[in-house]
Amino acid sequence: GPLLQVTDLVREYTLPREHLFRPPGTVQALNGVSFSIAAGRSLGVVGESGSGKSTLARLVMALDAPTAGTVELLGRNLHQLPAEQLRQARRDFQMVFQDPYGSLDPRQTVERIVTEPLQAQGQTTRAEQREQAAQVLSQVGLRTNDLGKYPHEFSGGQRQRIAIARALITRPRLIVADEPVSALDVSVQAQVLNLMQDLQQQFGITYMLISHDLAVVNHLCDEVVVLYQGRIVERGSPGELFRNA
Ligand code: ADP
Ligand code: ADP
C-alpha cells in the first residue's frame, strides 16, 4: 500500500461567539480530503491562504486531531495510536518549517538543535547522538565542526540545511515540508531543493511539500493537489496543472 494514506479528513474549528465577521458556529478548515503518497514520491500541496494547508500539515504530523477521517502512515492510523506507540512512530515522520531562523532556537548549538528528535525519543546516549548529528550534517553539506556553532553564524540556506539535518536524524520515511524555501533567495532555493531531491534518491524519502510557489512544486513534486476552502479541487502532475494556470 501507499506510505501515506489520508482518507476523508475533516477538521472543524469552533468559532468564538464574539467573532466579528462570521456568524457564530464552525469553520470547516478541511472538508473531506483524501489522497495517498507512494513511498519515495513527492506530493505538492498548493492553495491560497486559508485553504487549509497548515491544518492538513498539523493533522498529518499528528500535532492536531481530526474531526473525522484518518491519517495512515505505513498502515498505522496515527490518530488511534496509544501515546507510547505514537512517540515511537514519530521517528518515521518529521517536519521542516518555512522560517529556519524562527524554528531553530538561537540559544542552542547546532548539535543540540539537530539531535532534538533523538532527545525526544530518549533512547540514545549523548555520544551516539553526537555521532549521528555529525553524520546528518555531512549529508546536508555542512561540517562536523559546525556542531558547536549557533544558528546566527549561518546563512539562510545553511540554516535550512540544519533544519533538514534535524528532520533526517531519525531516518524518517516521510518529511512534511511547509514552505521550506520561501524565505530564501531564488538562487539558494534551487540548492536546497536539489539537496532535498538528492536525499530522496539516496534514502527513499517521501515528501509532502506545501508551497504557494508553483516553480518550487514543479522542481520537486511528481503530483500536486490544489486545496480550495478545505477541499481538493484539482490534482495531477505539475505539468498538467500548470499548463492551465
Ligand atoms: P492555510 O495554511 O492554507 O493558510 P489554514 O489551515 O491555516 O490555511 O486555515 C484554514 C481555515 O481554518 C481558515 O479559514 C482559518 O481561518 C481556519 N483556522 C485555522 N486554524 C484555526 C484555529 N485554530 N481556530 C479557528 N479557525 C482556524
Ligand atoms: P555508513 O556506514 O554508510 O555510514 P550507516 O550505518 O550510517 O552506514 O547507515 C546504514 C544505512 O542507512 C545505509 O544504507 C545508509 O544509506 C542509510 N542511511 C544513512 N543515513 C540515513 C538517513 N538520514 N536517512 C535514511 N537512511 C539513512
Side-chain angles (χ1 to χ4, degrees):
L3 184 93
L4 178 72
Q5 173 75 55
V6 168
T7 308
D8 298 331
L9 209 56
V10 176
R11 180 60 166 97
E12 233 170 57
Y13 290 110
T14 304
L15 292 174
R17 200 198 306 271
E18 67 274 18
H19 200 283
L20 278 181
F21 303 113
R22 285 205 192 92
T26 56
V27 57
Q28 304 263 345
L30 290 179
N31 198 348
V33 166
S34 300
F35 61 85
S36 62
I37 317 180
R41 308 285 285 182
S42 301
L43 179 77
V45 178
V46 303
E48 63 187 36
S49 178
S51 59
K53 303 183 300 296
S54 308
T55 299
L56 176 62
R58 284 199 302 275
L59 291 173
V60 168
M61 291 300 298
L63 300 173
D64 180 28
T67 306
T70 56
V71 175
E72 288 161 283
L73 185 73
L74 295 163
R76 293 167 306 191
N77 183 340
L78 290 187
H79 297 281
Q80 298 287 322
L81 288 180
E84 176 53 25
Q85 282 180 45
L86 177 60
R87 193 175 65 81
Q88 287 176 28
R90 285 194 183 283
R91 289 172 183 280
D92 293 334
F93 53 100
Q94 296 289 349
M95 191 150 175
V96 173
F97 295 93
Q98 167 172 8
D99 172 10
Y101 214 18
S103 82
L104 306 184
D105 185 339
R107 297 158 306 179
Q108 301 278 0
T109 61
V110 169
E111 180 180 345
R112 292 303 283 173
I113 290 169
V114 165
T115 58
E116 193 182 287
L118 295 180
Q119 296 159 35
Q121 290 287 333
Q123 280 155 356
T124 43
T125 66
R126 191 78 184 256
E128 287 165 342
Q129 290 175 15
R130 186 183 178 79
E131 190 183 316
Q132 290 184 45
Q135 188 186 31
V136 289
L137 273 198
S138 81
Q139 287 169 349
V140 301
L142 295 173
R143 294 169 319 174
T144 303
N145 64 2
D146 290 329
L147 282 173
K149 295 184 184 169
Y150 290 85
H152 72 266
E153 299 178 66
F154 296 88
S155 69
Q158 288 172 325
R159 285 198 296 268
Q160 199 55 301
R161 288 173 190 269
I162 295 168
I164 292 170
R166 172 174 58 188
L168 281 179
I169 202 160
T170 61
R171 302 189 174 190
R173 303 294 305 277
L174 174 72
I175 290 182
V176 175
D178 189 354
E179 300 282 3
V181 298
S182 57
L184 305 174
D185 293 342
V186 171
S187 61
V188 181
Q189 288 189 355
Q191 294 167 11
V192 172
L193 290 169
N194 287 339
L195 168 66
M196 290 174 70
Q197 223 161 21
D198 291 346
L199 295 168
Q200 179 170 51
Q201 272 149 27
Q202 233 179 316
F203 303 131
I205 291 169
T206 303
Y207 291 112
M208 185 176 113
L209 173 73
I210 295 171
S211 179
H212 69 282
D213 186 338
L214 302 184
V216 167
V217 169
N218 200 21
H219 194 120
L220 197 68
C221 297
D222 319 296
E223 208 196 342
V224 189
V225 297
V226 181
L227 277 182
Y228 180 74
Q229 296 187 352
R231 296 174 192 272
I232 293 177
V233 293
E234 277 195 88
R235 63 178 89 206
S237 70
E240 282 164 5
L241 288 191
F242 304 154
R243 216 172 300 125
N244 307 326

